[in-house]
Amino acid sequence: MARLFPQPILSIVIALVWVLLVNDISAGAVALGILLGWGIPKLTSRYWPDKPRIRRPFAVLEYFGIVLKDIAVSNVQVAYWVLFRRGDTLRSQYVTVPLDLTTAEAITALAGTITLTPGTVSADLSADGRSLLVHCLETTDPAATVAQIKERYERRLKEIFE
Amino acid sequence: MVIVEVVISLLVLVGSFFLFVGSLGLAKLPDLMRRLHGPTKATTLGIGSMLIASMLYFWAVEGNPSIHELLITLFLFLTAPVTAQMIAKAHILRETRERKALPDTGRSVGWATLDPAEADERSEVTRTISTP
Amino acid sequence: MIDIACIIATATIAVASLLTLYRLTRGPGVLDRILALDTLVINTIGLIVVIGLWFRTTMYFETALLFAMVGFVTTVALCKYLLRGNIIE
Protein backbone atom coordinates (compact mmCIF):
# COMPACT_ATOMS: atom_id res chain seq x y z
CA MET A 1 0.00 0.00 0.00
CA ALA A 2 2.74 2.42 0.97
CA ARG A 3 4.61 1.61 -2.23
CA LEU A 4 1.53 1.97 -4.42
CA PHE A 5 0.61 5.36 -2.90
CA PRO A 6 3.82 7.10 -1.76
CA GLN A 7 1.89 10.32 -1.05
CA PRO A 8 -1.43 9.15 0.46
CA ILE A 9 -2.73 12.66 1.26
CA LEU A 10 -1.98 13.93 -2.24
CA SER A 11 -3.65 10.86 -3.77
CA ILE A 12 -6.80 11.36 -1.70
CA VAL A 13 -6.95 15.07 -2.61
CA ILE A 14 -6.54 14.35 -6.33
CA ALA A 15 -9.25 11.67 -6.30
CA LEU A 16 -11.60 13.97 -4.35
CA VAL A 17 -11.03 16.94 -6.66
CA TRP A 18 -11.67 14.74 -9.69
CA VAL A 19 -14.98 13.51 -8.27
CA LEU A 20 -15.99 17.11 -7.48
CA LEU A 21 -14.99 18.27 -10.97
CA VAL A 22 -17.04 15.56 -12.69
CA ASN A 23 -19.90 16.39 -10.27
CA ASP A 24 -20.98 12.78 -10.10
CA ILE A 25 -20.33 10.04 -7.53
CA SER A 26 -20.58 7.06 -9.86
CA ALA A 27 -18.31 4.02 -9.92
CA GLY A 28 -16.64 5.23 -13.12
CA ALA A 29 -15.79 8.69 -11.80
CA VAL A 30 -14.44 7.28 -8.53
CA ALA A 31 -12.36 4.66 -10.38
CA LEU A 32 -10.85 7.28 -12.69
CA GLY A 33 -10.19 9.51 -9.66
CA ILE A 34 -8.29 6.70 -7.91
CA LEU A 35 -6.36 6.03 -11.12
CA LEU A 36 -5.34 9.71 -11.31
CA GLY A 37 -4.51 9.67 -7.59
CA TRP A 38 -2.16 6.77 -8.30
CA GLY A 39 -0.64 8.11 -11.54
CA ILE A 40 0.00 11.79 -10.80
CA PRO A 41 2.03 11.27 -7.57
CA LYS A 42 3.99 8.53 -9.39
CA LEU A 43 4.87 10.85 -12.29
CA THR A 44 5.78 13.80 -10.03
CA SER A 45 7.46 11.79 -7.25
CA ARG A 46 10.83 13.40 -8.01
CA TYR A 47 9.53 16.73 -6.75
CA TRP A 48 8.30 15.24 -3.48
CA PRO A 49 11.25 13.47 -1.90
CA ASP A 50 9.68 13.37 1.58
CA LYS A 51 6.09 13.43 2.62
CA PRO A 52 4.51 15.97 4.98
CA ARG A 53 3.57 14.40 8.28
CA ILE A 54 0.21 14.96 9.88
CA ARG A 55 0.39 13.78 13.44
CA ARG A 56 -3.24 14.06 14.44
CA PRO A 57 -5.72 13.87 11.53
CA PHE A 58 -8.72 14.57 13.75
CA ALA A 59 -7.21 17.77 15.11
CA VAL A 60 -7.39 19.01 11.49
CA LEU A 61 -11.20 18.85 11.60
CA GLU A 62 -11.30 20.76 14.88
CA TYR A 63 -8.95 23.36 13.41
CA PHE A 64 -11.15 23.74 10.31
CA GLY A 65 -14.19 24.30 12.54
CA ILE A 66 -12.47 26.99 14.57
CA VAL A 67 -11.15 28.76 11.45
CA LEU A 68 -14.56 28.70 9.73
CA LYS A 69 -16.21 30.17 12.83
CA ASP A 70 -13.54 32.88 13.03
CA ILE A 71 -13.96 33.70 9.33
CA ALA A 72 -17.68 34.31 9.83
CA VAL A 73 -17.16 36.42 12.97
CA SER A 74 -14.28 38.41 11.47
CA ASN A 75 -16.28 39.17 8.34
CA VAL A 76 -19.05 40.79 10.37
CA GLN A 77 -16.42 42.77 12.32
CA VAL A 78 -14.60 43.96 9.18
CA ALA A 79 -17.93 44.79 7.49
CA TYR A 80 -18.82 46.96 10.50
CA TRP A 81 -15.49 48.80 10.33
CA VAL A 82 -15.74 49.32 6.58
CA LEU A 83 -19.33 50.57 6.68
CA PHE A 84 -19.34 52.79 9.77
CA ARG A 85 -15.79 54.02 10.34
CA ARG A 86 -13.86 56.62 8.38
CA GLY A 87 -10.83 54.95 6.82
CA ASP A 88 -8.21 57.17 8.42
CA THR A 89 -9.55 56.69 11.95
CA LEU A 90 -8.72 52.97 11.80
CA ARG A 91 -5.58 52.39 13.86
CA SER A 92 -3.82 49.93 11.59
CA GLN A 93 -0.21 48.89 12.00
CA TYR A 94 2.29 46.13 11.37
CA VAL A 95 3.15 43.58 14.04
CA THR A 96 5.86 40.90 14.09
CA VAL A 97 4.82 37.39 15.09
CA PRO A 98 7.78 35.21 16.18
CA LEU A 99 7.18 31.65 14.97
CA ASP A 100 7.68 28.37 16.82
CA LEU A 101 6.74 26.39 13.70
CA THR A 102 9.57 25.19 11.51
CA THR A 103 8.04 23.18 8.64
CA ALA A 104 7.01 24.86 5.41
CA GLU A 105 3.51 23.34 5.41
CA ALA A 106 2.70 24.54 8.93
CA ILE A 107 3.93 28.09 8.24
CA THR A 108 1.91 28.22 5.00
CA ALA A 109 -1.21 27.08 6.84
CA LEU A 110 -0.66 29.67 9.58
CA ALA A 111 -0.11 32.51 7.08
CA GLY A 112 -3.26 31.52 5.18
CA THR A 113 -5.30 31.35 8.37
CA ILE A 114 -4.07 34.77 9.52
CA THR A 115 -5.09 36.33 6.20
CA LEU A 116 -8.59 34.83 6.37
CA THR A 117 -9.32 35.76 10.02
CA PRO A 118 -10.00 38.83 12.25
CA GLY A 119 -8.69 42.01 10.60
CA THR A 120 -5.20 40.66 9.92
CA VAL A 121 -3.28 40.04 6.69
CA SER A 122 0.07 38.24 6.67
CA ALA A 123 2.42 40.25 4.50
CA ASP A 124 5.90 38.74 4.63
CA LEU A 125 8.24 36.24 6.26
CA SER A 126 11.67 37.05 7.68
CA ALA A 127 14.63 35.83 5.60
CA ASP A 128 15.35 32.94 7.94
CA GLY A 129 11.68 31.99 8.10
CA ARG A 130 11.34 32.41 11.86
CA SER A 131 9.01 35.41 12.12
CA LEU A 132 5.95 36.59 10.26
CA LEU A 133 4.98 40.16 9.31
CA VAL A 134 1.28 40.75 9.96
CA HIS A 135 -0.74 43.85 9.11
CA CYS A 136 -3.64 44.57 11.48
CA LEU A 137 -6.58 46.67 10.30
CA GLU A 138 -7.55 47.91 13.76
CA THR A 139 -5.54 47.25 16.89
CA THR A 140 -4.91 49.11 20.11
CA ASP A 141 -2.84 46.37 21.72
CA PRO A 142 -0.40 44.68 19.29
CA ALA A 143 0.95 42.33 21.98
CA ALA A 144 -2.54 40.93 22.59
CA THR A 145 -3.06 40.31 18.86
CA VAL A 146 0.23 38.41 18.65
CA ALA A 147 -0.64 36.41 21.78
CA GLN A 148 -4.03 35.53 20.34
CA ILE A 149 -2.55 34.34 17.03
CA LYS A 150 0.03 32.21 18.85
CA GLU A 151 -2.44 30.75 21.32
CA ARG A 152 -5.37 30.16 19.01
CA TYR A 153 -3.80 29.00 15.74
CA GLU A 154 -0.09 28.35 16.09
CA ARG A 155 -0.41 26.02 19.08
CA ARG A 156 -2.98 23.90 17.25
CA LEU A 157 -0.93 23.79 14.05
CA LYS A 158 2.11 22.72 16.05
CA GLU A 159 0.11 19.83 17.44
CA ILE A 160 -1.06 18.85 13.95
CA PHE A 161 2.17 19.13 11.98
CA GLU A 162 5.08 18.75 14.41
CA MET B 1 -40.14 23.78 1.24
CA VAL B 2 -40.87 27.43 1.93
CA ILE B 3 -38.30 27.44 4.72
CA VAL B 4 -35.65 26.10 2.35
CA GLU B 5 -36.47 28.84 -0.14
CA VAL B 6 -36.22 31.50 2.56
CA VAL B 7 -32.83 30.13 3.64
CA ILE B 8 -31.57 30.10 0.04
CA SER B 9 -32.77 33.67 -0.58
CA LEU B 10 -31.14 34.85 2.66
CA LEU B 11 -27.84 33.18 1.78
CA VAL B 12 -27.84 34.81 -1.67
CA LEU B 13 -28.55 38.23 -0.14
CA VAL B 14 -25.89 37.80 2.57
CA GLY B 15 -23.38 36.75 -0.10
CA SER B 16 -24.06 39.77 -2.29
CA PHE B 17 -23.91 42.05 0.78
CA PHE B 18 -20.43 40.81 1.66
CA LEU B 19 -19.25 41.19 -1.94
CA PHE B 20 -20.52 44.77 -1.77
CA VAL B 21 -18.71 45.40 1.53
CA GLY B 22 -15.46 44.05 0.06
CA SER B 23 -15.69 46.39 -2.92
CA LEU B 24 -16.71 49.30 -0.70
CA GLY B 25 -13.64 48.69 1.46
CA LEU B 26 -11.52 48.70 -1.68
CA ALA B 27 -12.97 52.02 -2.85
CA LYS B 28 -13.18 53.76 0.52
CA LEU B 29 -10.11 52.92 2.63
CA PRO B 30 -7.15 55.31 2.32
CA ASP B 31 -4.06 53.14 1.65
CA LEU B 32 -3.25 49.85 -0.04
CA MET B 33 -2.54 47.74 3.05
CA ARG B 34 -5.91 48.71 4.52
CA ARG B 35 -7.66 48.18 1.20
CA LEU B 36 -6.27 44.66 1.12
CA HIS B 37 -8.43 43.69 4.10
CA GLY B 38 -11.77 44.28 2.37
CA PRO B 39 -11.47 42.02 -0.70
CA THR B 40 -9.57 39.14 0.94
CA LYS B 41 -12.09 38.57 3.70
CA ALA B 42 -15.45 39.79 2.56
CA THR B 43 -15.25 38.19 -0.86
CA THR B 44 -14.38 34.69 0.36
CA LEU B 45 -17.39 34.61 2.69
CA GLY B 46 -19.57 36.31 0.06
CA ILE B 47 -18.80 33.75 -2.65
CA GLY B 48 -18.87 30.96 -0.05
CA SER B 49 -22.41 31.68 1.11
CA MET B 50 -23.64 32.11 -2.48
CA LEU B 51 -22.22 28.74 -3.45
CA ILE B 52 -23.81 27.14 -0.38
CA ALA B 53 -27.12 28.66 -1.49
CA SER B 54 -26.67 27.21 -4.97
CA MET B 55 -25.71 23.79 -3.57
CA LEU B 56 -28.74 23.82 -1.28
CA TYR B 57 -31.03 24.80 -4.14
CA PHE B 58 -29.98 22.04 -6.53
CA TRP B 59 -29.98 19.49 -3.72
CA ALA B 60 -33.24 20.37 -1.92
CA VAL B 61 -35.45 21.93 -4.61
CA GLU B 62 -34.35 20.33 -7.87
CA GLY B 63 -33.46 17.00 -6.26
CA ASN B 64 -30.19 16.37 -8.06
CA PRO B 65 -27.30 16.90 -5.64
CA SER B 66 -24.53 19.10 -7.02
CA ILE B 67 -21.22 19.08 -5.16
CA HIS B 68 -19.36 21.00 -7.80
CA GLU B 69 -19.63 24.26 -5.88
CA LEU B 70 -17.41 22.98 -3.08
CA LEU B 71 -14.53 23.00 -5.54
CA ILE B 72 -14.87 26.73 -6.29
CA THR B 73 -15.23 27.56 -2.59
CA LEU B 74 -12.15 25.48 -1.74
CA PHE B 75 -10.19 27.05 -4.58
CA LEU B 76 -11.06 30.60 -3.50
CA PHE B 77 -10.23 29.87 0.14
CA LEU B 78 -6.83 28.53 -0.93
CA THR B 79 -5.99 31.32 -3.37
CA ALA B 80 -7.22 34.44 -1.49
CA PRO B 81 -4.31 34.42 1.03
CA VAL B 82 -1.78 33.79 -1.75
CA THR B 83 -2.90 36.78 -3.84
CA ALA B 84 -3.09 38.98 -0.74
CA GLN B 85 0.44 38.07 0.26
CA MET B 86 1.81 38.57 -3.28
CA ILE B 87 0.25 42.05 -3.44
CA ALA B 88 1.59 42.91 0.03
CA LYS B 89 5.09 41.72 -0.89
CA ALA B 90 5.13 43.71 -4.14
CA HIS B 91 3.87 46.76 -2.24
CA ILE B 92 6.61 46.47 0.39
CA LEU B 93 9.24 46.12 -2.33
CA ARG B 94 8.06 49.11 -4.36
CA GLU B 95 7.17 51.68 -1.69
CA THR B 96 10.09 53.15 0.22
CA ARG B 97 7.68 54.83 2.63
CA GLU B 98 6.09 51.50 3.52
CA ARG B 99 9.51 49.92 4.02
CA LYS B 100 10.40 52.46 6.69
CA ALA B 101 7.21 51.69 8.61
CA LEU B 102 8.00 47.99 8.94
CA PRO B 103 8.82 46.69 12.44
CA ASP B 104 11.98 44.78 13.25
CA THR B 105 12.04 41.04 12.47
CA GLY B 106 13.33 40.16 15.94
CA ARG B 107 15.99 38.05 14.21
CA SER B 108 19.45 38.82 12.86
CA VAL B 109 18.15 39.00 9.27
CA GLY B 110 15.67 41.27 7.47
CA TRP B 111 12.35 40.53 5.74
CA ALA B 112 12.49 38.01 2.90
CA THR B 113 11.16 40.35 0.19
CA LEU B 114 13.87 42.93 0.84
CA ASP B 115 16.85 40.55 0.83
CA PRO B 116 15.98 37.54 -1.35
CA ALA B 117 19.58 36.23 -1.46
CA GLU B 118 19.65 35.94 2.33
CA ALA B 119 16.23 34.29 2.22
CA ASP B 120 17.52 31.43 0.09
CA GLU B 121 20.71 30.87 2.08
CA ARG B 122 19.70 31.45 5.66
CA SER B 123 16.29 29.81 5.64
CA GLU B 124 15.71 27.59 8.68
CA VAL B 125 12.44 26.17 7.35
CA THR B 126 12.20 22.39 6.93
CA ARG B 127 10.88 21.58 3.45
CA THR B 128 9.49 18.39 2.04
CA ILE B 129 9.37 19.74 -1.52
CA SER B 130 12.62 19.75 -3.49
CA THR B 131 13.60 23.06 -5.02
CA PRO B 132 15.69 23.05 -8.21
CA MET C 1 -38.92 34.35 -3.73
CA ILE C 2 -35.54 33.11 -4.96
CA ASP C 3 -36.03 35.14 -8.13
CA ILE C 4 -36.53 38.37 -6.18
CA ALA C 5 -33.46 37.62 -4.05
CA CYS C 6 -31.49 37.00 -7.25
CA ILE C 7 -32.57 40.33 -8.74
CA ILE C 8 -31.56 42.22 -5.59
CA ALA C 9 -28.26 40.33 -5.44
CA THR C 10 -27.52 41.12 -9.09
CA ALA C 11 -28.13 44.82 -8.48
CA THR C 12 -25.91 44.80 -5.36
CA ILE C 13 -23.08 43.08 -7.20
CA ALA C 14 -23.42 45.55 -10.08
CA VAL C 15 -22.95 48.44 -7.62
CA ALA C 16 -19.97 46.60 -6.08
CA SER C 17 -18.43 46.20 -9.53
CA LEU C 18 -18.84 49.93 -10.16
CA LEU C 19 -16.96 50.60 -6.90
CA THR C 20 -14.08 48.38 -8.04
CA LEU C 21 -14.10 50.14 -11.42
CA TYR C 22 -13.74 53.44 -9.54
CA ARG C 23 -10.62 52.08 -7.82
CA LEU C 24 -9.38 50.67 -11.12
CA THR C 25 -9.51 54.04 -12.84
CA ARG C 26 -8.40 56.20 -9.91
CA GLY C 27 -5.39 54.07 -8.95
CA PRO C 28 -3.21 55.68 -7.48
CA GLY C 29 -0.63 52.90 -7.73
CA VAL C 30 -0.34 49.93 -10.06
CA LEU C 31 -0.94 47.53 -7.14
CA ASP C 32 -4.25 49.23 -6.32
CA ARG C 33 -5.27 48.48 -9.90
CA ILE C 34 -4.17 44.85 -9.65
CA LEU C 35 -6.16 44.47 -6.42
CA ALA C 36 -9.16 46.12 -8.10
CA LEU C 37 -8.94 43.68 -11.03
CA ASP C 38 -8.76 40.73 -8.63
CA THR C 39 -11.85 41.97 -6.77
CA LEU C 40 -13.64 42.54 -10.07
CA VAL C 41 -12.98 38.91 -11.05
CA ILE C 42 -14.41 37.70 -7.73
CA ASN C 43 -17.48 39.92 -8.22
CA THR C 44 -17.92 38.39 -11.67
CA ILE C 45 -17.78 34.87 -10.18
CA GLY C 46 -20.51 35.91 -7.73
CA LEU C 47 -22.59 37.29 -10.60
CA ILE C 48 -22.22 34.05 -12.59
CA VAL C 49 -23.33 31.98 -9.57
CA VAL C 50 -26.37 34.20 -9.01
CA ILE C 51 -27.35 34.02 -12.69
CA GLY C 52 -26.93 30.23 -12.64
CA LEU C 53 -29.31 30.10 -9.69
CA TRP C 54 -31.73 32.51 -11.36
CA PHE C 55 -31.89 30.54 -14.63
CA ARG C 56 -31.96 27.23 -12.70
CA THR C 57 -29.00 25.73 -14.51
CA THR C 58 -25.66 24.25 -13.45
CA MET C 59 -24.17 24.96 -16.86
CA TYR C 60 -22.38 28.11 -15.72
CA PHE C 61 -20.28 26.47 -13.03
CA GLU C 62 -17.42 25.59 -15.33
CA THR C 63 -17.33 29.26 -16.34
CA ALA C 64 -17.14 30.33 -12.69
CA LEU C 65 -14.36 27.82 -12.04
CA LEU C 66 -12.39 28.98 -15.08
CA PHE C 67 -12.84 32.61 -14.01
CA ALA C 68 -11.51 31.77 -10.55
CA MET C 69 -8.45 30.01 -11.96
CA VAL C 70 -7.61 32.58 -14.65
CA GLY C 71 -8.14 35.46 -12.20
CA PHE C 72 -5.79 33.88 -9.66
CA VAL C 73 -3.07 33.15 -12.21
CA THR C 74 -3.33 36.67 -13.66
CA THR C 75 -2.97 38.35 -10.27
CA VAL C 76 -0.04 36.17 -9.25
CA ALA C 77 1.70 36.67 -12.61
CA LEU C 78 1.32 40.45 -12.43
CA CYS C 79 2.63 40.54 -8.83
CA LYS C 80 5.50 38.21 -9.74
CA TYR C 81 6.45 40.53 -12.57
CA LEU C 82 6.51 43.50 -10.21
CA LEU C 83 8.48 41.54 -7.60
CA ARG C 84 11.18 40.00 -9.80
CA GLY C 85 10.94 41.73 -13.19
CA ASN C 86 10.23 38.34 -14.72
CA ILE C 87 7.39 35.83 -14.65
CA ILE C 88 8.98 32.47 -15.45
CA GLU C 89 12.58 32.36 -14.33
Side-chain angles (χ1 to χ4, degrees), chain C:
Chain C
M1 174 123 70
I2 296 174
D3 286 344
I4 299 168
C6 283
I7 293 169
I8 298 170
T10 312
T12 318
I13 297 171
V15 176
S17 300
L18 283 177
L19 287 171
T20 58
L21 278 179
Y22 166 76
R23 185 51 68 203
L24 189 63
T25 48
R26 278 296 298 276
V30 63
L31 283 161
D32 295 276
R33 296 197 165 97
I34 294 175
L35 184 62
L37 272 180
D38 190 52
T39 316
L40 194 60
V41 166
I42 292 178
N43 282 343
T44 313
I45 298 167
L47 203 58
I48 292 170
V49 173
V50 170
I51 287 178
L53 196 60
W54 194 358
F55 294 167
R56 311 285 195 263
T57 169
T58 53
M59 246 171 68
Y60 294 115
F61 278 110
E62 275 80 7
T63 328
L65 193 61
L66 284 176
F67 253 98
M69 288 178 168
V70 173
F72 169 64
V73 172
T74 314
T75 313
V76 169
L78 286 169
C79 287
K80 195 87 192 162
Y81 180 71
L82 291 176
L83 271 171
R84 308 291 287 259
N86 207 340
I87 296 171
I88 301 167
E89 290 171 38

Side-chain angles (χ1 to χ4, degrees), chain A residues 82 87 92 94 105 124-125 127, chain B residues 28 34 98 107 110 112-113 128:
Chain A
V82 166
S92 52
Y94 287 103
E105 291 83 17
D124 204 354
L125 200 63
Chain B
K28 185 181 164 189
R34 281 180 218 178
E98 198 73 41
R107 310 284 302 175
T113 312
T128 54

Side-chain angles (χ1 to χ4, degrees), chain B:
Chain B
M1 212 76 255
V2 178
I3 299 166
V4 175
E5 287 200 1
V6 169
V7 170
I8 292 168
S9 310
L10 273 180
L11 280 172
V12 169
L13 289 178
V14 166
S16 65
F17 171 73
F18 277 113
L19 281 180
F20 173 75
V21 167
S23 303
L24 185 69
L26 179 74
K28 185 181 164 189
L29 296 178
D31 61 86
L32 181 73
M33 284 312 288
R34 281 180 218 178
R35 275 174 210 150
L36 207 50
H37 287 273
T40 50
K41 292 190 193 62
T43 50
T44 40
L45 189 75
I47 297 279
S49 75
M50 273 183 181
L51 290 165
I52 290 169
S54 159
M55 232 156 79
L56 200 64
Y57 175 78
F58 287 108
W59 177 64
V61 182
E62 301 263 296
N64 55 338
S66 162
I67 41 176
H68 226 163
E69 288 86 344
L70 272 181
L71 202 62
I72 303 178
T73 322
L74 207 66
F75 189 76
L76 282 176
F77 271 73
L78 288 179
T79 56
V82 179
T83 46
Q85 187 161 22
M86 292 297 277
I87 289 173
K89 276 170 85 91
H91 182 64
I92 289 167
L93 186 72
R94 287 170 64 87
E95 290 283 323
T96 341
R97 216 160 7 101
E98 198 73 41
R99 230 180 278 176
K100 294 210 180 86
L102 294 184
D104 199 52
T105 52
R107 310 284 302 175
S108 58
V109 289
W111 296 109
T113 312
L114 302 174
D115 40 7
E118 288 265 287
D120 290 338
E121 285 158 21
R122 308 242 344 230
S123 175
E124 292 172 14
V125 177
T126 330
R127 298 172 202 213
T128 54
I129 301 169
S130 75
T131 44

Side-chain angles (χ1 to χ4, degrees), chain A residues 3 12 16 43 52 55 71 78 105 112 125 137 140 157 162:
Chain A
R3 215 198 255 153
I12 292 170
L16 206 68
L43 285 174
R55 281 272 172 85
I71 287 173
V78 170
E105 291 83 17
L125 200 63
L137 184 57
T140 46
L157 283 173
E162 286 170 15

